[in-house]
Structures are given as C-alpha cells and as structure tokens.
Amino acid sequence: MQLKRVVVTGLGAITPIGNTASQYWEALLNGVSGCDTITNFDPSKFKTRIACEVKNFNVGDYFEVKEAKRLDRFSQFGLIAASEAIEDSGLHTANINKDRVGVIWGSGIGGLSIFQNEIRDFFRGDGTPRFNPFFIPKMIIDICPGHISMKYGFRGMNYATVAACASSTNALIDSFNYIRLGKANAIVTGGSEAPITEGGVGGFSAMKAMSERNDDPKTASRPFDANRDGFVAGEGAAGIVLEEYEHAIARGAKIYAEMIGGGLSADAYHLTAPDPSGEGVILVLNDALNDAGLDISSVDYVNVHGTSTPLGDVAELKALQQVFGENAYKMNISSTKSMTGHLLGAAGAIEAAATILSVKNDMIPPTINHETFDPEIDPKLNLTINKAQARVVNVALSNTFGFGGHNATVVFKKFIL
C-alpha cells in the first residue's frame, strides 16, 4: 500500500528553561542551564539536592482551582504543552473530523506525587483508609491523553506509551505509523513527567545514577565531559501535532518539518546499564535509517540521548561511529539534556521538538558545560560544544534510551512540497 506522508503542524512545551515552545528554543540556542537547588521539597538530607525544575509555574495561570485538584503535576504539564501545540496547529478551530484525531502520550512514571503523598498520609494516620477519590485517576499514566481528548473532543485512538525514558519517543513512532497507514488524519503526541519528589529523587539517587554536584548546579549536567558524575532530573512536557500531509495542506496549516521514520530495539542486557558494545543502539539507528529510506550520508544532526552518565555517553557515541563511519565526523551531535536535564519519559518529546526546530531553523543547539575532554571519546566528533552552530539541517535524528534496555529513534527532514 502507498504510505501517507506525515508532517509536524504544531509544537508546545513547558520545560526547565522555558514555559512555551518559543521560550524553550531561544534558551536552547543561548545555552541556558535549567538546573538549580530543588524547591519542590526540602532536599537538605538528600545526596542529590539539585534538579531542573519548571520555573515560574503558577497552576492558577492555567487551570481553575477545581480542575487543578483533579490533575497530578505530570498531567498539568501535559495539558499545557498539548494545548499550546493544538492551538499552534490550528486544529482547535479547524473544521475537521474529530473521530480521526487521536492522542498518544508518553510518560515513564506518571502521577508520582499523588502516589507518594497518599501512601505517606495513610501510614502516618491511624490505619483508617482515607484516600483522595482522585488518587487513582490522578496517578495513572493514561489519564493525561484522556484529559487532552476530553478537552478538545478528539475521539480517535487514545492511549499512553510506557518505555521508561523512551516513552514519548514510542508515542511519536506509534502516532507516525497510524497516520501513514491511514488510520488517523492527525494525532496529538508527546510526553510529560514530574519526577522531582522525595521518592523520585531518592530512588534515582540510591541507584548512584544522579549527579551530586550540589555546589555548582548550573554545570551539573555535563554530557561527554570527563568529569560528569550522573544525570540531572528534569520535569515538564512537550506536545507535537503530527498530521497527514494532504489533510494539513487542505486546511492551510503551517508545516515545521516532515517525520520520515522511526526505529525501535532492545538491549536485552541489563536493568539500568547500557550494553557497552552498543549493539542495541546500532540496531535502533539502522532500523530508523532503513524505515526512513536514508543512507548514512544524509544525516546532518543527531540529538543524542546523552544523559551525562559515565557509561551511557561513551556507549552511544561509539555506536554512532560504528553506524555512520566517516560521516560521524561530518554531522553535528549535541545533548540538549546539558540544559534541560533528563525529563525521563518526557525526554523524547522535548528533544524531538528541539530536533524539529533545528531542521526548521538550520541551527544546532549546543552541548553546554563541556570543560575537559574524555579520553574515551573521539575528539574529532563535532559535539557542538558550549555554543550553538548554524548549518543547513536537511535531516536530523533524535535518540532516547530507557531503563530496561528500551531504545527509540525518530527521523525528521526539512519539509518540501
């Protein structure tokens, strides 16, 4: 069958470095760090006391009091980002068949704060079961796409994807596939996460996975740097409207870029550590390139997973070199997690948004906080160190990898009629 073309017609974001998509993009190009001492709770007794929190966030600016009480923070972020993307796309005012508009959303953890607080309050009490009636509806990961569909009346496919830190990239790939198979005219996709709670930070810290650079938070997330000591947790969301090309053209929608492929694989190696051979990453990169019908010389930019962990950064770059060969030295590579931190299940969404904007604007956001070269990393690779770079970006990839060995890659190209 003839597959449909899929284009990006709307973007929205709420991130640690900007509360709209345009603010986020500007901060990326300016190399702004979103990391600081945690304010969501008192972190003084924790080994890691820093994170990339959303700044200047007042729930009342977005939701009525009654509505806000029914939403965990991850759903609040998701609704905000999705609403911006939908309004940016014009879907909310277009004369469209809402039966053929879906919502597929990713999150790795979901309602962590409501879960933590309800369980804590129960065990602090006298054992009498007093639970918030919204405990379960606020906690479950699939509630966020449910809320988005209810707000806009979109009656197409509606569900959540869960693959740890690759969750929202899986959501994009599922959305892409449904549209190109003709199962939907448009899908609102993306992801949201709000893990900066005592349980979230304490759990990741116990795994020795997080940076403890508490005295200098702005430089804590430092992918590829020889002195990196772990990832920095982030929170927020990004929404992306994917649409069938002819449907978008017929209603006069603006188009940011075209999505042309996606790849999925598993490391089948370890609960949390990447396979040092890079075999799973090699598989997912080749799968994405094959799906997009590209050869290795076509790629101009890769927004890498690049979490700032000692093992992961090296393994990913070595896999890139194995797949791309000499072309690895011709393309730009950068990790925007150096600025946003790691948004876990929402990482794929905000990084896909950054990748789309790189294709649209021919600019590569930098990898900030790089001071000392790691002898295990090839110095000839262009890691876009500390400063944004201008170049024509015809094709770009975005990688995300999750605990459990989940790997996902998406491919975007410059839109041409």
Side-chain angles (χ1 to χ4, degrees):
M1 66 178 292
Q2 184 68 39
L3 294 175
K4 309 284 189 180
R5 292 174 68 183
V6 181
V7 294
V8 179
T9 58
L11 294 175
I14 180 165
T15 78
I17 59 173
N19 292 3
T20 65
S22 60
Q23 290 174 5
Y24 168 53
W25 178 241
E26 182 179 4
L28 285 176
L29 295 185
N30 289 326
V32 175
S33 170
C35 187
D36 212 329
T37 301
I38 291 169
T39 62
N40 285 354
F41 63 90
D42 178 6
S44 58
K45 295 182 180 180
F46 288 72
K47 290 182 179 179
T48 292
R49 298 188 291 277
I50 55 175
C52 290
E53 296 173 315
V54 171
K55 316 295 189 300
N56 304 312
F57 176 60
N58 180 4
V59 176
D61 292 340
Y62 301 95
F63 303 102
E64 298 293 335
V65 173
K66 186 176 180 180
E67 183 182 14
K69 287 182 177 179
R70 299 184 179 194
L71 300 168
D72 185 85
R73 191 173 173 93
F74 96 101
S75 287
Q76 293 171 0
F77 289 152
L79 272 165
I80 291 165
S83 295
E84 183 188 358
I86 292 164
E87 291 170 16
D88 183 42
S89 74
L91 278 181
H92 63 307
T93 57
N95 182 19
I96 58 174
N97 181 358
K98 292 186 178 181
D99 294 352
R100 289 185 55 81
V101 180
V103 184
I104 303 177
W105 204 256
S107 183
I109 300 176
L112 185 58
S113 61
I114 182 69
F115 182 84
Q116 171 188 287
N117 294 341
E118 289 294 308
I119 299 302
R120 178 197 62 200
D121 292 347
F122 172 73
F123 283 104
R124 283 181 176 176
D126 60 5
T128 302
R130 299 184 183 93
F131 288 93
N132 188 316
F134 294 107
F135 174 22
I136 301 302
K138 287 175 72 172
M139 178 190 72
I140 53 178
I141 292 173
D142 62 290
I143 204 67
C144 189
H147 279 298
I148 296 165
S149 69
M150 286 183 276
K151 180 175 180 179
Y152 291 96
F154 297 148
R155 293 181 293 269
M157 64 282 295
N158 187 281
Y159 63 90
T161 53
V162 182
C165 303
S167 294
S168 51
T169 309
N170 276 259
L172 264 76
I173 292 171
D174 280 8
S175 301
F176 169 67
N177 284 329
Y178 277 124
I179 295 169
R180 67 174 174 171
L181 289 171
K183 301 288 187 180
N185 293 335
I187 297 178
V188 181
T189 186
S192 54
E193 204 81 274
I196 304 173
T197 69
E198 293 92 333
V201 172
F204 282 113
S205 181
M207 295 168 59
K208 309 294 185 185
M210 299 179 74
S211 173
E212 296 179 9
R213 192 181 283 262
N214 299 307
D215 57 342
D216 190 13
K218 297 296 183 189
T219 68
S221 185
R222 44 179 53 229
F224 319 128
D225 187 85
N227 297 313
R228 63 193 182 279
D229 69 329
F231 80 85
V232 174
E235 64 176 1
I240 298 169
V241 175
L242 294 181
E243 191 166 349
E244 193 272 321
Y245 162 74
E246 291 182 0
H247 186 268
I249 293 295
R251 67 180 188 85
K254 70 175 180 296
I255 295 173
Y256 285 94
E258 184 170 356
M259 185 169 176
I260 59 171
L264 297 166
S265 77
D267 276 2
Y269 175 75
H270 188 270
L271 281 175
T272 58
D275 183 346
S277 74
E279 185 176 351
V281 178
I282 292 165
L283 280 170
V284 78
L285 289 168
N286 283 325
D287 189 34
L289 291 170
N290 290 335
D291 191 45
L294 295 174
D295 59 57
I296 58 172
S297 63
S298 303
V299 178
D300 302 299
Y301 170 49
V302 181
N303 186 305
V304 292
H305 188 55
T307 58
S308 188
T309 56
L311 294 176
D313 290 4
V314 172
E316 183 176 11
L317 292 180
K318 287 182 177 178
L320 282 173
Q321 287 182 275
Q322 187 161 336
V323 171
F324 287 97
E326 288 300 311
N327 197 66
Y329 302 114
K330 300 175 185 177
M331 62 192 189
N332 276 74
I333 297 166
S334 75
S335 172
T336 48
K337 287 186 182 73
S338 59
M339 295 171 275
T340 65
H342 191 352
L343 269 68
L344 308 181
I350 69 163
E351 289 157 22
T355 306
I356 291 161
L357 289 167
S358 293
V359 171
K360 176 68 174 175
N361 298 302
D362 292 322
M363 289 293 296
I364 310 294
T367 305
I368 68 168
N369 297 327
H370 193 284
E371 297 172 346
T372 307
F373 280 92
D374 184 336
E376 292 192 59
I377 294 174
D378 191 333
K380 293 185 293 181
L381 293 171
N382 183 357
L383 302 178
T384 321
I385 292 173
N386 294 327
K387 188 176 180 181
Q389 294 178 16
R391 70 170 287 170
V392 175
V393 184
N394 289 312
V395 175
L397 276 60
S398 180
N399 289 340
T400 45
F401 315 136
F403 284 175
H406 313 297
N407 305 314
T409 297
V410 285
V411 188
F412 300 96
K413 79 170 185 177
K414 199 172 290 297
F415 173 69
I416 301 172
L417 281 170

